[in-house]
Amino acid sequence: MEIFPLHDETTAPRAAADALAATRKNFGMIPNLERVMACAPALLKGYSALWDLFDTTSLSPIERQVVYLTANYENACDYCVPWHTLLAKKAGMNEAAIAALRNGATIDDARLEALRVFTRSLISERGNVAPAQLDAFLSAGFAPEQALEVVLGLAVKVMSNYTNSIVGTPLDQQVAGLRWAKPKVAMRSSQMAG
């Protein structure tokens, strides 16, 4: 028996069955992430609730995907990047911005880049962003409450990225063509000689 089985509505603990049924209704299927999360019904319910709440924020669908993809990249989540690549396409994000996010690179759109940088700073600084980082975010046209909405998006990603890291969640067939691995940074030859 697997430590973290891929549940469905018939095999999951009773407390997770309704959340899995709702996921199937909303997505037309149950992604493997939610199947695994069903092992801990409170996690699945919390994840689903925060996901839905993040969708109600003032951030646009594209902006929400910038938050998600930035966190996925920073946390090296090879399960979530493919799914959010698909969701970013569905939200209308352009291919260049998606490619930049998949590579941890600069986005050409100044507003989206400010959001990416702010999100990345929250992650790397464990929430302790410098006043200048917040000012840059606000100067790009974001409102103060949107800084806090980014925190909500990151809470969603902590649950999914960390779960996938612990479990090694298998990628769903629906996004197999968007498979991803975090790019490796090659050492410079001058650093190797030193």
PDB file of all heavy atoms in Angstrom, residues 36-74:
ATOM      1  N   VAL A  36      -4.256  13.286  -3.589  1.00  0.00           N
ATOM      2  CA  VAL A  36      -3.295  13.069  -2.510  1.00  0.00           C
ATOM      3  C   VAL A  36      -3.702  13.846  -1.265  1.00  0.00           C
ATOM      4  O   VAL A  36      -3.640  13.329  -0.141  1.00  0.00           O
ATOM      5  CB  VAL A  36      -1.875  13.464  -2.966  1.00  0.00           C
ATOM      6  CG1 VAL A  36      -0.921  13.566  -1.800  1.00  0.00           C
ATOM      7  CG2 VAL A  36      -1.351  12.476  -3.989  1.00  0.00           C
ATOM      8  N   MET A  37      -4.121  15.084  -1.435  1.00  0.00           N
ATOM      9  CA  MET A  37      -4.525  15.896  -0.292  1.00  0.00           C
ATOM     10  C   MET A  37      -5.674  15.260   0.483  1.00  0.00           C
ATOM     11  O   MET A  37      -5.835  15.520   1.676  1.00  0.00           O
ATOM     12  CB  MET A  37      -4.917  17.305  -0.736  1.00  0.00           C
ATOM     13  CG  MET A  37      -3.764  18.208  -1.055  1.00  0.00           C
ATOM     14  SD  MET A  37      -4.399  19.868  -1.468  1.00  0.00           S
ATOM     15  CE  MET A  37      -2.885  20.829  -1.372  1.00  0.00           C
ATOM     16  N   ALA A  38      -6.460  14.436  -0.203  1.00  0.00           N
ATOM     17  CA  ALA A  38      -7.576  13.776   0.475  1.00  0.00           C
ATOM     18  C   ALA A  38      -7.110  12.887   1.624  1.00  0.00           C
ATOM     19  O   ALA A  38      -7.896  12.571   2.512  1.00  0.00           O
ATOM     20  CB  ALA A  38      -8.383  12.958  -0.529  1.00  0.00           C
ATOM     21  N   CYS A  39      -5.836  12.520   1.637  1.00  0.00           N
ATOM     22  CA  CYS A  39      -5.277  11.752   2.768  1.00  0.00           C
ATOM     23  C   CYS A  39      -5.395  12.552   4.062  1.00  0.00           C
ATOM     24  O   CYS A  39      -5.463  11.969   5.145  1.00  0.00           O
ATOM     25  CB  CYS A  39      -3.813  11.404   2.517  1.00  0.00           C
ATOM     26  SG  CYS A  39      -3.533  10.290   1.136  1.00  0.00           S
ATOM     27  N   ALA A  40      -5.388  13.875   3.945  1.00  0.00           N
ATOM     28  CA  ALA A  40      -5.545  14.780   5.092  1.00  0.00           C
ATOM     29  C   ALA A  40      -6.723  15.701   4.763  1.00  0.00           C
ATOM     30  O   ALA A  40      -6.545  16.781   4.189  1.00  0.00           O
ATOM     31  CB  ALA A  40      -4.278  15.587   5.330  1.00  0.00           C
ATOM     32  N   PRO A  41      -7.947  15.287   5.082  1.00  0.00           N
ATOM     33  CA  PRO A  41      -9.130  16.044   4.674  1.00  0.00           C
ATOM     34  C   PRO A  41      -9.097  17.528   5.047  1.00  0.00           C
ATOM     35  O   PRO A  41      -9.547  18.373   4.260  1.00  0.00           O
ATOM     36  CB  PRO A  41     -10.277  15.323   5.385  1.00  0.00           C
ATOM     37  CG  PRO A  41      -9.794  13.908   5.492  1.00  0.00           C
ATOM     38  CD  PRO A  41      -8.307  14.041   5.765  1.00  0.00           C
ATOM     39  N   ALA A  42      -8.547  17.878   6.187  1.00  0.00           N
ATOM     40  CA  ALA A  42      -8.490  19.290   6.574  1.00  0.00           C
ATOM     41  C   ALA A  42      -7.611  20.077   5.606  1.00  0.00           C
ATOM     42  O   ALA A  42      -7.925  21.223   5.265  1.00  0.00           O
ATOM     43  CB  ALA A  42      -7.974  19.427   8.004  1.00  0.00           C
ATOM     44  N   LEU A  43      -6.507  19.473   5.150  1.00  0.00           N
ATOM     45  CA  LEU A  43      -5.647  20.128   4.164  1.00  0.00           C
ATOM     46  C   LEU A  43      -6.409  20.347   2.869  1.00  0.00           C
ATOM     47  O   LEU A  43      -6.384  21.448   2.305  1.00  0.00           O
ATOM     48  CB  LEU A  43      -4.388  19.297   3.904  1.00  0.00           C
ATOM     49  CG  LEU A  43      -3.492  19.778   2.757  1.00  0.00           C
ATOM     50  CD1 LEU A  43      -2.905  21.155   3.061  1.00  0.00           C
ATOM     51  CD2 LEU A  43      -2.387  18.761   2.489  1.00  0.00           C
ATOM     52  N   LEU A  44      -7.082  19.327   2.377  1.00  0.00           N
ATOM     53  CA  LEU A  44      -7.839  19.449   1.135  1.00  0.00           C
ATOM     54  C   LEU A  44      -8.912  20.531   1.252  1.00  0.00           C
ATOM     55  O   LEU A  44      -9.052  21.376   0.361  1.00  0.00           O
ATOM     56  CB  LEU A  44      -8.476  18.107   0.766  1.00  0.00           C
ATOM     57  CG  LEU A  44      -9.391  18.123  -0.458  1.00  0.00           C
ATOM     58  CD1 LEU A  44      -8.638  18.553  -1.708  1.00  0.00           C
ATOM     59  CD2 LEU A  44     -10.036  16.753  -0.647  1.00  0.00           C
ATOM     60  N   LYS A  45      -9.636  20.536   2.353  1.00  0.00           N
ATOM     61  CA  LYS A  45     -10.686  21.546   2.546  1.00  0.00           C
ATOM     62  C   LYS A  45     -10.096  22.947   2.639  1.00  0.00           C
ATOM     63  O   LYS A  45     -10.626  23.898   2.064  1.00  0.00           O
ATOM     64  CB  LYS A  45     -11.500  21.229   3.798  1.00  0.00           C
ATOM     65  CG  LYS A  45     -12.387  20.014   3.661  1.00  0.00           C
ATOM     66  CD  LYS A  45     -13.106  19.747   4.984  1.00  0.00           C
ATOM     67  CE  LYS A  45     -13.932  18.503   4.932  1.00  0.00           C
ATOM     68  NZ  LYS A  45     -14.605  18.257   6.234  1.00  0.00           N
ATOM     69  N   GLY A  46      -8.993  23.085   3.377  1.00  0.00           N
ATOM     70  CA  GLY A  46      -8.352  24.398   3.496  1.00  0.00           C
ATOM     71  C   GLY A  46      -7.825  24.886   2.163  1.00  0.00           C
ATOM     72  O   GLY A  46      -8.008  26.052   1.789  1.00  0.00           O
ATOM     73  N   TYR A  47      -7.181  24.008   1.422  1.00  0.00           N
ATOM     74  CA  TYR A  47      -6.655  24.348   0.096  1.00  0.00           C
ATOM     75  C   TYR A  47      -7.790  24.790  -0.826  1.00  0.00           C
ATOM     76  O   TYR A  47      -7.699  25.840  -1.481  1.00  0.00           O
ATOM     77  CB  TYR A  47      -5.916  23.140  -0.481  1.00  0.00           C
ATOM     78  CG  TYR A  47      -5.446  23.323  -1.894  1.00  0.00           C
ATOM     79  CD1 TYR A  47      -4.329  24.110  -2.183  1.00  0.00           C
ATOM     80  CD2 TYR A  47      -6.113  22.726  -2.958  1.00  0.00           C
ATOM     81  CE1 TYR A  47      -3.895  24.278  -3.488  1.00  0.00           C
ATOM     82  CE2 TYR A  47      -5.686  22.884  -4.261  1.00  0.00           C
ATOM     83  CZ  TYR A  47      -4.577  23.670  -4.526  1.00  0.00           C
ATOM     84  OH  TYR A  47      -4.154  23.833  -5.816  1.00  0.00           O
ATOM     85  N   SER A  48      -8.851  24.017  -0.869  1.00  0.00           N
ATOM     86  CA  SER A  48      -9.980  24.352  -1.739  1.00  0.00           C
ATOM     87  C   SER A  48     -10.602  25.688  -1.361  1.00  0.00           C
ATOM     88  O   SER A  48     -10.926  26.507  -2.234  1.00  0.00           O
ATOM     89  CB  SER A  48     -11.037  23.242  -1.687  1.00  0.00           C
ATOM     90  OG  SER A  48     -10.509  22.029  -2.163  1.00  0.00           O
ATOM     91  N   ALA A  49     -10.761  25.919  -0.071  1.00  0.00           N
ATOM     92  CA  ALA A  49     -11.367  27.172   0.388  1.00  0.00           C
ATOM     93  C   ALA A  49     -10.481  28.372   0.051  1.00  0.00           C
ATOM     94  O   ALA A  49     -10.970  29.401  -0.445  1.00  0.00           O
ATOM     95  CB  ALA A  49     -11.627  27.110   1.897  1.00  0.00           C
ATOM     96  N   LEU A  50      -9.171  28.255   0.298  1.00  0.00           N
ATOM     97  CA  LEU A  50      -8.277  29.382   0.002  1.00  0.00           C
ATOM     98  C   LEU A  50      -8.151  29.607  -1.497  1.00  0.00           C
ATOM     99  O   LEU A  50      -8.046  30.755  -1.951  1.00  0.00           O
ATOM    100  CB  LEU A  50      -6.917  29.175   0.644  1.00  0.00           C
ATOM    101  CG  LEU A  50      -6.885  29.267   2.171  1.00  0.00           C
ATOM    102  CD1 LEU A  50      -5.449  29.167   2.681  1.00  0.00           C
ATOM    103  CD2 LEU A  50      -7.543  30.538   2.675  1.00  0.00           C
ATOM    104  N   TRP A  51      -8.147  28.523  -2.284  1.00  0.00           N
ATOM    105  CA  TRP A  51      -8.136  28.657  -3.744  1.00  0.00           C
ATOM    106  C   TRP A  51      -9.342  29.501  -4.186  1.00  0.00           C
ATOM    107  O   TRP A  51      -9.208  30.453  -4.961  1.00  0.00           O
ATOM    108  CB  TRP A  51      -8.175  27.272  -4.396  1.00  0.00           C
ATOM    109  CG  TRP A  51      -8.259  27.285  -5.887  1.00  0.00           C
ATOM    110  CD1 TRP A  51      -9.373  27.526  -6.657  1.00  0.00           C
ATOM    111  CD2 TRP A  51      -7.197  27.069  -6.820  1.00  0.00           C
ATOM    112  NE1 TRP A  51      -9.062  27.457  -7.984  1.00  0.00           N
ATOM    113  CE2 TRP A  51      -7.735  27.170  -8.106  1.00  0.00           C
ATOM    114  CE3 TRP A  51      -5.843  26.767  -6.663  1.00  0.00           C
ATOM    115  CZ2 TRP A  51      -6.964  27.008  -9.255  1.00  0.00           C
ATOM    116  CZ3 TRP A  51      -5.079  26.601  -7.811  1.00  0.00           C
ATOM    117  CH2 TRP A  51      -5.639  26.718  -9.081  1.00  0.00           C
ATOM    118  N   ASP A  52     -10.514  29.139  -3.683  1.00  0.00           N
ATOM    119  CA  ASP A  52     -11.733  29.868  -4.049  1.00  0.00           C
ATOM    120  C   ASP A  52     -11.675  31.316  -3.582  1.00  0.00           C
ATOM    121  O   ASP A  52     -12.099  32.227  -4.303  1.00  0.00           O
ATOM    122  CB  ASP A  52     -12.963  29.171  -3.468  1.00  0.00           C
ATOM    123  CG  ASP A  52     -13.252  27.835  -4.129  1.00  0.00           C
ATOM    124  OD1 ASP A  52     -12.706  27.547  -5.220  1.00  0.00           O
ATOM    125  OD2 ASP A  52     -14.033  27.053  -3.537  1.00  0.00           O
ATOM    126  N   LEU A  53     -11.148  31.557  -2.387  1.00  0.00           N
ATOM    127  CA  LEU A  53     -11.032  32.934  -1.883  1.00  0.00           C
ATOM    128  C   LEU A  53     -10.058  33.758  -2.723  1.00  0.00           C
ATOM    129  O   LEU A  53     -10.310  34.934  -2.989  1.00  0.00           O
ATOM    130  CB  LEU A  53     -10.594  32.933  -0.419  1.00  0.00           C
ATOM    131  CG  LEU A  53     -11.668  32.547   0.592  1.00  0.00           C
ATOM    132  CD1 LEU A  53     -11.061  32.385   1.978  1.00  0.00           C
ATOM    133  CD2 LEU A  53     -12.780  33.590   0.609  1.00  0.00           C
ATOM    134  N   PHE A  54      -8.959  33.167  -3.133  1.00  0.00           N
ATOM    135  CA  PHE A  54      -7.992  33.908  -3.957  1.00  0.00           C
ATOM    136  C   PHE A  54      -8.632  34.337  -5.273  1.00  0.00           C
ATOM    137  O   PHE A  54      -8.332  35.406  -5.792  1.00  0.00           O
ATOM    138  CB  PHE A  54      -6.729  33.070  -4.191  1.00  0.00           C
ATOM    139  CG  PHE A  54      -5.582  33.840  -4.782  1.00  0.00           C
ATOM    140  CD1 PHE A  54      -5.133  35.029  -4.213  1.00  0.00           C
ATOM    141  CD2 PHE A  54      -4.920  33.360  -5.903  1.00  0.00           C
ATOM    142  CE1 PHE A  54      -4.054  35.741  -4.758  1.00  0.00           C
ATOM    143  CE2 PHE A  54      -3.844  34.052  -6.448  1.00  0.00           C
ATOM    144  CZ  PHE A  54      -3.415  35.247  -5.877  1.00  0.00           C
ATOM    145  N   ASP A  55      -9.542  33.517  -5.780  1.00  0.00           N
ATOM    146  CA  ASP A  55     -10.257  33.885  -7.008  1.00  0.00           C
ATOM    147  C   ASP A  55     -11.170  35.099  -6.822  1.00  0.00           C
ATOM    148  O   ASP A  55     -11.590  35.695  -7.809  1.00  0.00           O
ATOM    149  CB  ASP A  55     -11.080  32.710  -7.531  1.00  0.00           C
ATOM    150  CG  ASP A  55     -10.254  31.722  -8.330  1.00  0.00           C
ATOM    151  OD1 ASP A  55      -9.074  32.005  -8.630  1.00  0.00           O
ATOM    152  OD2 ASP A  55     -10.798  30.640  -8.651  1.00  0.00           O
ATOM    153  N   THR A  56     -11.494  35.457  -5.586  1.00  0.00           N
ATOM    154  CA  THR A  56     -12.377  36.606  -5.333  1.00  0.00           C
ATOM    155  C   THR A  56     -11.601  37.897  -5.084  1.00  0.00           C
ATOM    156  O   THR A  56     -12.212  38.941  -4.854  1.00  0.00           O
ATOM    157  CB  THR A  56     -13.303  36.353  -4.121  1.00  0.00           C
ATOM    158  OG1 THR A  56     -12.530  36.347  -2.914  1.00  0.00           O
ATOM    159  CG2 THR A  56     -14.085  35.055  -4.272  1.00  0.00           C
ATOM    160  N   THR A  57     -10.279  37.837  -5.122  1.00  0.00           N
ATOM    161  CA  THR A  57      -9.481  39.028  -4.847  1.00  0.00           C
ATOM    162  C   THR A  57      -9.573  40.015  -6.004  1.00  0.00           C
ATOM    163  O   THR A  57     -10.097  39.704  -7.081  1.00  0.00           O
ATOM    164  CB  THR A  57      -7.996  38.678  -4.602  1.00  0.00           C
ATOM    165  OG1 THR A  57      -7.437  38.158  -5.811  1.00  0.00           O
ATOM    166  CG2 THR A  57      -7.844  37.684  -3.452  1.00  0.00           C
ATOM    167  N   SER A  58      -9.019  41.197  -5.793  1.00  0.00           N
ATOM    168  CA  SER A  58      -9.015  42.222  -6.838  1.00  0.00           C
ATOM    169  C   SER A  58      -7.927  42.005  -7.881  1.00  0.00           C
ATOM    170  O   SER A  58      -7.874  42.724  -8.879  1.00  0.00           O
ATOM    171  CB  SER A  58      -8.873  43.614  -6.213  1.00  0.00           C
ATOM    172  OG  SER A  58      -7.626  43.741  -5.557  1.00  0.00           O
ATOM    173  N   LEU A  59      -7.058  41.025  -7.674  1.00  0.00           N
ATOM    174  CA  LEU A  59      -6.065  40.690  -8.690  1.00  0.00           C
ATOM    175  C   LEU A  59      -6.775  40.037  -9.869  1.00  0.00           C
ATOM    176  O   LEU A  59      -7.679  39.213  -9.682  1.00  0.00           O
ATOM    177  CB  LEU A  59      -5.007  39.747  -8.121  1.00  0.00           C
ATOM    178  CG  LEU A  59      -4.124  40.316  -7.010  1.00  0.00           C
ATOM    179  CD1 LEU A  59      -3.318  39.212  -6.344  1.00  0.00           C
ATOM    180  CD2 LEU A  59      -3.213  41.407  -7.553  1.00  0.00           C
ATOM    181  N   SER A  60      -6.364  40.385 -11.068  1.00  0.00           N
ATOM    182  CA  SER A  60      -6.979  39.801 -12.266  1.00  0.00           C
ATOM    183  C   SER A  60      -6.594  38.328 -12.392  1.00  0.00           C
ATOM    184  O   SER A  60      -5.636  37.868 -11.753  1.00  0.00           O
ATOM    185  CB  SER A  60      -6.506  40.567 -13.511  1.00  0.00           C
ATOM    186  OG  SER A  60      -5.149  40.231 -13.805  1.00  0.00           O
ATOM    187  N   PRO A  61      -7.305  37.573 -13.226  1.00  0.00           N
ATOM    188  CA  PRO A  61      -6.923  36.169 -13.428  1.00  0.00           C
ATOM    189  C   PRO A  61      -5.465  36.014 -13.876  1.00  0.00           C
ATOM    190  O   PRO A  61      -4.768  35.109 -13.401  1.00  0.00           O
ATOM    191  CB  PRO A  61      -7.900  35.677 -14.502  1.00  0.00           C
ATOM    192  CG  PRO A  61      -9.122  36.521 -14.280  1.00  0.00           C
ATOM    193  CD  PRO A  61      -8.573  37.881 -13.907  1.00  0.00           C
ATOM    194  N   ILE A  62      -4.991  36.890 -14.745  1.00  0.00           N
ATOM    195  CA  ILE A  62      -3.593  36.824 -15.176  1.00  0.00           C
ATOM    196  C   ILE A  62      -2.668  37.137 -14.010  1.00  0.00           C
ATOM    197  O   ILE A  62      -1.663  36.446 -13.800  1.00  0.00           O
ATOM    198  CB  ILE A  62      -3.336  37.752 -16.377  1.00  0.00           C
ATOM    199  CG1 ILE A  62      -4.012  37.173 -17.627  1.00  0.00           C
ATOM    200  CG2 ILE A  62      -1.836  37.966 -16.615  1.00  0.00           C
ATOM    201  CD1 ILE A  62      -3.951  38.077 -18.846  1.00  0.00           C
ATOM    202  N   GLU A  63      -2.988  38.151 -13.235  1.00  0.00           N
ATOM    203  CA  GLU A  63      -2.152  38.514 -12.084  1.00  0.00           C
ATOM    204  C   GLU A  63      -2.109  37.381 -11.060  1.00  0.00           C
ATOM    205  O   GLU A  63      -1.050  37.098 -10.487  1.00  0.00           O
ATOM    206  CB  GLU A  63      -2.658  39.808 -11.447  1.00  0.00           C
ATOM    207  CG  GLU A  63      -2.421  41.019 -12.337  1.00  0.00           C
ATOM    208  CD  GLU A  63      -3.186  42.261 -11.926  1.00  0.00           C
ATOM    209  OE1 GLU A  63      -4.134  42.161 -11.110  1.00  0.00           O
ATOM    210  OE2 GLU A  63      -2.849  43.342 -12.438  1.00  0.00           O
ATOM    211  N   ARG A  64      -3.219  36.710 -10.855  1.00  0.00           N
ATOM    212  CA  ARG A  64      -3.221  35.577  -9.918  1.00  0.00           C
ATOM    213  C   ARG A  64      -2.298  34.470 -10.421  1.00  0.00           C
ATOM    214  O   ARG A  64      -1.580  33.840  -9.632  1.00  0.00           O
ATOM    215  CB  ARG A  64      -4.647  35.058  -9.691  1.00  0.00           C
ATOM    216  CG  ARG A  64      -5.513  36.049  -8.912  1.00  0.00           C
ATOM    217  CD  ARG A  64      -6.811  35.447  -8.429  1.00  0.00           C
ATOM    218  NE  ARG A  64      -7.674  34.904  -9.445  1.00  0.00           N
ATOM    219  CZ  ARG A  64      -8.619  35.581 -10.101  1.00  0.00           C
ATOM    220  NH1 ARG A  64      -8.817  36.868  -9.844  1.00  0.00           N
ATOM    221  NH2 ARG A  64      -9.376  34.980 -11.007  1.00  0.00           N
ATOM    222  N   GLN A  65      -2.278  34.245 -11.714  1.00  0.00           N
ATOM    223  CA  GLN A  65      -1.385  33.226 -12.265  1.00  0.00           C
ATOM    224  C   GLN A  65       0.075  33.649 -12.158  1.00  0.00           C
ATOM    225  O   GLN A  65       0.954  32.792 -11.998  1.00  0.00           O
ATOM    226  CB  GLN A  65      -1.767  32.898 -13.709  1.00  0.00           C
ATOM    227  CG  GLN A  65      -3.084  32.153 -13.829  1.00  0.00           C
ATOM    228  CD  GLN A  65      -3.157  30.895 -12.992  1.00  0.00           C
ATOM    229  OE1 GLN A  65      -2.192  30.121 -12.916  1.00  0.00           O
ATOM    230  NE2 GLN A  65      -4.291  30.671 -12.337  1.00  0.00           N
ATOM    231  N   VAL A  66       0.358  34.946 -12.209  1.00  0.00           N
ATOM    232  CA  VAL A  66       1.736  35.410 -11.982  1.00  0.00           C
ATOM    233  C   VAL A  66       2.163  35.039 -10.560  1.00  0.00           C
ATOM    234  O   VAL A  66       3.266  34.528 -10.355  1.00  0.00           O
ATOM    235  CB  VAL A  66       1.876  36.930 -12.222  1.00  0.00           C
ATOM    236  CG1 VAL A  66       3.227  37.449 -11.723  1.00  0.00           C
ATOM    237  CG2 VAL A  66       1.690  37.260 -13.705  1.00  0.00           C
ATOM    238  N   VAL A  67       1.298  35.268  -9.596  1.00  0.00           N
ATOM    239  CA  VAL A  67       1.606  34.901  -8.206  1.00  0.00           C
ATOM    240  C   VAL A  67       1.836  33.397  -8.111  1.00  0.00           C
ATOM    241  O   VAL A  67       2.852  32.931  -7.566  1.00  0.00           O
ATOM    242  CB  VAL A  67       0.482  35.348  -7.247  1.00  0.00           C
ATOM    243  CG1 VAL A  67       0.702  34.791  -5.834  1.00  0.00           C
ATOM    244  CG2 VAL A  67       0.379  36.871  -7.214  1.00  0.00           C
ATOM    245  N   TYR A  68       0.916  32.632  -8.653  1.00  0.00           N
ATOM    246  CA  TYR A  68       1.027  31.178  -8.573  1.00  0.00           C
ATOM    247  C   TYR A  68       2.283  30.658  -9.271  1.00  0.00           C
ATOM    248  O   TYR A  68       3.029  29.854  -8.711  1.00  0.00           O
ATOM    249  CB  TYR A  68      -0.202  30.519  -9.193  1.00  0.00           C
ATOM    250  CG  TYR A  68      -1.451  30.504  -8.344  1.00  0.00           C
ATOM    251  CD1 TYR A  68      -2.708  30.472  -8.944  1.00  0.00           C
ATOM    252  CD2 TYR A  68      -1.412  30.470  -6.953  1.00  0.00           C
ATOM    253  CE1 TYR A  68      -3.877  30.414  -8.189  1.00  0.00           C
ATOM    254  CE2 TYR A  68      -2.567  30.426  -6.193  1.00  0.00           C
ATOM    255  CZ  TYR A  68      -3.797  30.393  -6.816  1.00  0.00           C
ATOM    256  OH  TYR A  68      -4.944  30.321  -6.061  1.00  0.00           O
ATOM    257  N   LEU A  69       2.516  31.097 -10.498  1.00  0.00           N
ATOM    258  CA  LEU A  69       3.679  30.590 -11.240  1.00  0.00           C
ATOM    259  C   LEU A  69       4.998  31.036 -10.620  1.00  0.00           C
ATOM    260  O   LEU A  69       5.977  30.291 -10.642  1.00  0.00           O
ATOM    261  CB  LEU A  69       3.595  30.997 -12.713  1.00  0.00           C
ATOM    262  CG  LEU A  69       2.702  30.096 -13.564  1.00  0.00           C
ATOM    263  CD1 LEU A  69       2.363  30.756 -14.893  1.00  0.00           C
ATOM    264  CD2 LEU A  69       3.361  28.739 -13.794  1.00  0.00           C
ATOM    265  N   THR A  70       5.034  32.233 -10.052  1.00  0.00           N
ATOM    266  CA  THR A  70       6.251  32.693  -9.377  1.00  0.00           C
ATOM    267  C   THR A  70       6.553  31.800  -8.176  1.00  0.00           C
ATOM    268  O   THR A  70       7.686  31.353  -7.985  1.00  0.00           O
ATOM    269  CB  THR A  70       6.119  34.159  -8.942  1.00  0.00           C
ATOM    270  OG1 THR A  70       5.894  34.969 -10.102  1.00  0.00           O
ATOM    271  CG2 THR A  70       7.369  34.651  -8.217  1.00  0.00           C
ATOM    272  N   ALA A  71       5.528  31.521  -7.380  1.00  0.00           N
ATOM    273  CA  ALA A  71       5.724  30.637  -6.221  1.00  0.00           C
ATOM    274  C   ALA A  71       6.111  29.233  -6.670  1.00  0.00           C
ATOM    275  O   ALA A  71       7.021  28.620  -6.098  1.00  0.00           O
ATOM    276  CB  ALA A  71       4.457  30.596  -5.374  1.00  0.00           C
ATOM    277  N   ASN A  72       5.443  28.736  -7.697  1.00  0.00           N
ATOM    278  CA  ASN A  72       5.771  27.404  -8.198  1.00  0.00           C
ATOM    279  C   ASN A  72       7.227  27.321  -8.643  1.00  0.00           C
ATOM    280  O   ASN A  72       7.910  26.331  -8.380  1.00  0.00           O
ATOM    281  CB  ASN A  72       4.862  27.033  -9.375  1.00  0.00           C
ATOM    282  CG  ASN A  72       3.413  26.899  -8.986  1.00  0.00           C
ATOM    283  OD1 ASN A  72       3.078  26.641  -7.832  1.00  0.00           O
ATOM    284  ND2 ASN A  72       2.535  27.078  -9.947  1.00  0.00           N
ATOM    285  N   TYR A  73       7.691  28.361  -9.340  1.00  0.00           N
ATOM    286  CA  TYR A  73       9.083  28.396  -9.793  1.00  0.00           C
ATOM    287  C   TYR A  73      10.027  28.425  -8.589  1.00  0.00           C
ATOM    288  O   TYR A  73      10.970  27.637  -8.503  1.00  0.00           O
ATOM    289  CB  TYR A  73       9.337  29.611 -10.692  1.00  0.00           C
ATOM    290  CG  TYR A  73      10.778  29.699 -11.115  1.00  0.00           C
ATOM    291  CD1 TYR A  73      11.227  29.017 -12.238  1.00  0.00           C
ATOM    292  CD2 TYR A  73      11.698  30.433 -10.366  1.00  0.00           C
ATOM    293  CE1 TYR A  73      12.558  29.057 -12.607  1.00  0.00           C
ATOM    294  CE2 TYR A  73      13.032  30.476 -10.733  1.00  0.00           C
ATOM    295  CZ  TYR A  73      13.458  29.793 -11.854  1.00  0.00           C
ATOM    296  OH  TYR A  73      14.779  29.831 -12.208  1.00  0.00           O
ATOM    297  N   GLU A  74       9.795  29.342  -7.675  1.00  0.00           N
ATOM    298  CA  GLU A  74      10.683  29.507  -6.527  1.00  0.00           C
ATOM    299  C   GLU A  74      10.729  28.248  -5.668  1.00  0.00           C
ATOM    300  O   GLU A  74      11.769  27.916  -5.113  1.00  0.00           O
ATOM    301  CB  GLU A  74      10.270  30.718  -5.687  1.00  0.00           C
ATOM    302  CG  GLU A  74      10.457  32.054  -6.393  1.00  0.00           C
ATOM    303  CD  GLU A  74      11.882  32.324  -6.829  1.00  0.00           C
ATOM    304  OE1 GLU A  74      12.817  32.017  -6.061  1.00  0.00           O
ATOM    305  OE2 GLU A  74      12.069  32.834  -7.954  1.00  0.00           O
TER     306      GLU A  74
END
